[in-house]
Amino acid sequence: MESTALPMTTVAPSTAELIKASVPHWARAADDVDAFRTALELGTVADRSADGDGTPLVLARLLLLAGRPRDALTLLAQQHITQLPAEPMASWPHLLLAACRAADGDLGAYRWLLSAVAALPGSWELLYLVGAAAEQRGDYGPADQAWTTLVQGHQIVTRFTLARYCAAVVARRDPKEPASAAQTLIDVVEEFLARDPDLTEYPQPVLSAAAHLRRRGDNAGSALLLHAASQRLPQAPALKAAVQAVVSRVAMRCYRRRKTLLAWVHLPLLALAAAAAVWSDLPPLVLIGMVPVLLVHRLAAASVPGFTTADSAAWRAGSRLRQGPAARLLDTEQRFACAIVVAAVLTATVPIAGALAGAVVGRADAIARTASHAVVSGGLFAVLTAVLTAIGSGLMAIMRRHNWQSARRVRHEADRRRLSDAGDCRCWRTSALVGSYAAAYLNRHLTSSAPATWDNERFPDATLARCPATGTLWLATTAGAQGELLLLRGTDRASTDFPVPAPATGGYL
């Protein structure tokens, strides 16, 4: 007997239904990469019934992390969440209420929140609440500990957490140890580069860290970070513009003039020593001229306008980064070897200058102890020293260019390896992508079978794309002032039979 059952068919949802079902997924995906403002805008666009009763709590959390605790309190009040229990507890709505009230200036709620979090040391979700509440009320100690624990302890590295973690490291630099402050600055810049491969094109984490330092009153730390990053990343014009906007133009103009003067102050001082060396017919006597040269450099370069001694050392350390990615401090043996080379070159230049002076003024005797011969010898020695200095500066410029070209080739090769699997389907395990990988994934894997744009006033430049393997709808938008691409995964079905649970929306942790 033949079966009379009809074959099963699947009706594809309309694009409008798919977009409506994808909006909550896009909001959670933006939250996964700490793009809180984008997640908040998507959350307000989404239908609240699509995410159940937890949506107001999700929006309140996003408002807090976006720096709007009063709006979060208003939203919580609409859900009748207004009172804290007498004893700290692990109820998520009450923890969120305490964080919002603490960020708004309530000291009692702040103490309640810290006491409750102390009983749950392994919960990374609560670190966001503590960090946001402490930061917005100006208590940067607990905030720094929260961001540091997220990055180092839980390995939650986003542009949001990385900027605050690195700002905390810069703020804790040793104000009494110049070498330590300089090394801290260099380490922070290298930390940015190691964590974020798109820093050259999108230096937003550095700019955010600098702005965070200014908000906490550390203007010098902000300027130091921007200066070192701009020296390390000369291909990022946004960093140079930020340095000019932060640092006093008058102070920097004076600093540059003094730096130019220091670059050539050795010529007249060594010329006098060379004249004395020719007069006495003792070429090594020219090395005495290095004493005032070193003294002048030491005194004049001891401080940068507006900075302490330690910060001045950090500024000079940042300037050394322009020598190339491999630039580092010289150790004692290298300094000793450089001193020997400089001494040999200066000593050998004295008889050459004396011979040229003899050809100009004539040698009265073998020793030629005449004033005119000594003066001309000193002038010629200064000219030869200037030529050698120019040659050395040119060689350094060539070396810097070679270093930067080598670093660019290494970075491009690393990017090729990093983006080599961008054409493979990641829709089944990745909720959001940022930066160059997002752009590569959009171009290599996703298709534009979906509508070209999403007609929404909050996201005028957003585009839609679809995975050819799973049918998942992706939203491509921008994040931050630099316009970095943000790719958010939606859903492949219009129904909500299998919803994705939202993180920490209610109940107990």
Side-chain angles (χ1 to χ4, degrees):
M1 182 176 179
E2 295 183 0
S3 173
T4 59
L6 296 176
M8 296 183 62
T9 59
T10 301
V11 179
S14 66
T15 302
E17 294 174 346
L18 196 58
I19 291 176
K20 183 177 180 180
S22 294
V23 173
H25 294 263
W26 292 336
R28 284 192 290 269
D31 192 7
D32 288 343
V33 292
D34 289 355
F36 300 120
R37 297 185 185 277
T38 302
L40 181 60
E41 293 177 353
L42 286 166
T44 55
V45 170
D47 183 9
R48 294 191 175 185
S49 62
D51 203 27
D53 296 334
T55 296
L57 296 181
V58 174
L59 293 178
R61 173 181 172 272
L62 293 175
L63 285 168
L64 170 66
L65 294 173
R68 298 165 56 184
R70 292 190 178 181
D71 293 338
L73 289 173
T74 301
L75 188 58
L76 291 174
Q78 294 175 359
Q79 303 301 313
H80 307 289
I81 305 174
T82 57
Q83 298 296 327
L84 292 175
E87 295 296 329
M89 56 189 304
S91 169
W92 176 258
H94 292 114
L95 289 167
L96 185 57
L97 174 64
C100 294
R101 289 174 56 175
D104 197 36
D106 189 336
L107 180 59
Y110 185 50
R111 293 173 177 173
W112 191 98
L113 174 66
L114 294 181
S115 299
V117 173
L120 300 167
S123 177
W124 62 266
E125 296 93 340
L126 298 184
L127 293 175
Y128 277 94
L129 299 185
V130 172
E135 177 183 310
Q136 293 176 37
R137 62 180 292 108
D139 190 6
Y140 292 105
D144 292 345
Q145 295 179 30
W147 307 131
T148 301
T149 305
L150 282 171
V151 172
Q152 292 187 334
H154 297 279
Q155 296 301 312
I156 300 177
V157 182
T158 65
R159 299 202 149 197
F160 180 86
T161 60
L162 181 61
R164 281 157 173 76
Y165 162 68
C166 290
V169 175
V170 174
R172 292 196 301 266
R173 65 191 182 279
D174 194 338
K176 298 182 180 179
E177 291 293 336
S180 176
Q183 191 61 47
T184 298
L185 186 68
I186 294 175
D187 291 343
V188 165
V189 175
E190 295 302 323
E191 180 81 8
F192 271 119
L193 289 169
R195 299 281 192 175
D196 192 343
D198 295 328
L199 200 64
T200 300
E201 297 181 6
Y202 304 103
Q204 188 60 39
V206 177
L207 299 176
S208 298
H212 190 65
L213 286 167
R214 288 195 299 274
R215 284 196 298 269
R216 63 194 296 170
D218 191 0
N219 295 325
S222 175
L224 290 173
L225 178 59
L226 291 172
H227 169 68
S230 65
Q231 296 294 320
R232 182 66 172 84
L233 300 170
Q235 307 93 340
L239 293 175
K240 292 184 178 180
V243 174
Q244 296 175 358
V246 171
V247 183
S248 170
R249 294 184 178 181
V250 176
M252 284 300 100
R253 190 181 298 115
C254 295
Y255 176 73
R256 292 191 187 98
R257 289 176 179 175
R258 187 177 65 182
K259 187 177 180 181
T260 303
L261 178 63
L262 288 177
W264 299 99
V265 72
H266 63 285
L267 296 181
L269 297 177
L270 288 177
L272 295 175
V278 171
W279 175 268
S280 61
D281 204 14
L282 294 174
L285 195 63
V286 72
L287 300 181
I288 298 178
M290 289 299 297
V291 176
V293 170
L294 295 176
L295 183 61
V296 169
H297 274 266
R298 182 70 175 177
L299 294 177
S303 63
V304 178
F307 289 160
T308 63
T309 302
D311 289 343
S312 298
W315 181 276
R316 293 193 297 272
S319 300
R320 283 195 294 270
L321 292 176
R322 67 188 295 266
Q323 299 176 12
R328 56 189 176 87
L329 299 177
L330 298 177
D331 55 28
T332 303
E333 295 180 358
Q334 290 171 328
R335 290 179 181 274
F336 185 70
C338 290
I340 293 178
V341 172
V342 171
V345 171
L346 291 178
T347 304
T349 307
V350 171
I352 297 176
L356 294 175
V360 175
V361 301
R363 294 181 63 89
D365 50 35
I367 301 178
R369 291 194 177 102
T370 62
S372 60
H373 186 268
V375 171
V376 174
S377 299
L380 292 174
F381 178 86
V383 173
L384 291 174
T385 305
V387 171
L388 293 175
T389 302
I391 292 175
S393 300
L395 292 176
M396 286 294 296
I398 294 174
M399 185 180 301
R400 281 197 302 270
R401 184 175 181 83
H402 172 73
N403 288 342
W404 290 123
Q405 289 178 344
S406 300
R408 188 182 299 111
R409 287 193 296 269
V410 171
R411 185 173 62 253
H412 289 170
E413 181 62 28
D415 287 340
R416 282 194 294 270
R417 291 194 300 268
R418 183 172 58 88
L419 303 177
S420 60
D421 63 341
D424 301 337
C425 182
R426 302 173 64 93
C427 301
W428 54 279
R429 65 187 182 93
T430 301
S431 62
L433 295 171
V434 184
S436 59
Y437 199 97
Y441 192 72
L442 178 63
N443 295 327
R444 299 180 190 179
H445 178 69
L446 301 180
T447 62
S448 59
S449 59
T453 59
W454 178 31
D455 187 14
N456 189 280
E457 60 181 7
R458 294 179 181 267
F459 299 90
D461 299 328
T463 60
L464 300 178
R466 186 170 293 176
C467 173
T470 64
T472 302
L473 193 64
W474 286 76
L475 176 67
T477 183
T478 56
Q482 303 297 319
E484 186 177 16
L485 181 63
L486 180 61
L487 201 58
L488 307 174
R489 185 187 68 191
T491 182
D492 61 344
R493 52 186 175 270
S495 65
T496 56
D497 295 337
F498 304 98
V500 178
T505 56
Y508 290 82
L509 297 175

